[in-house]
Amino acid sequence: ADEGQAERLRIKEDTLASQRQLLEMLDQLQLRVDQLLFQVYRCETSLHGTRIELAGIRTGGSESSVDSVIAALQGTLVQAKEVQEELKRLGY
């Protein structure tokens, strides 16, 4: 009887360890999703900022403003592509 109880205890301990490992994996996944969502938010903020800059550009003599808008858009596109690739790797 003691041998059977010891075996059941070992099985329960192994099951508990497996469940803890799964929880840790899920926690890591949730952290990564949170990080990606933060990147999405940053991209969205950057796009809104760019939209505001574009609205403020006056015709003629705004070459430096246009250059800054183009640079901001390029940075936003790079961020958006990185987030998109990471989401694809995660299966979303």
Side-chain angles (χ1 to χ4, degrees):
D2 288 339
E3 195 172 303
Q5 286 180 346
E7 181 64 19
R8 279 191 291 279
L9 179 60
R10 189 194 61 74
I11 290 171
K12 287 182 180 186
E13 288 173 344
D14 288 348
T15 301
L16 182 59
S18 294
Q19 290 174 346
R20 285 185 176 152
Q21 185 179 21
L22 179 60
L23 281 174
E24 178 63 30
M25 290 169 46
L26 290 173
D27 284 343
Q28 291 299 317
L29 178 62
Q30 182 62 50
L31 175 61
R32 191 66 185 132
V33 168
D34 288 344
Q35 290 170 337
L36 289 172
L37 289 175
F38 176 69
Q39 291 298 324
V40 168
Y41 172 76
R42 287 182 56 207
C43 289
E44 181 183 23
T45 301
S46 181
L47 286 172
H48 284 300
T50 302
R51 182 174 52 89
I52 291 168
E53 285 185 42
L54 282 172
I57 292 178
R58 307 257 190 252
T59 55
S62 297
E63 189 173 325
S64 65
S65 294
V66 171
D67 290 341
S68 69
V69 169
I70 289 171
L73 283 172
Q74 288 173 334
T76 300
L77 288 173
V78 168
Q79 286 179 343
K81 286 179 182 180
E82 288 172 356
V83 170
Q84 185 180 28
E85 289 172 12
E86 187 66 27
L87 286 171
K88 282 181 183 178
R89 279 194 294 260
L90 291 174
Y92 293 102

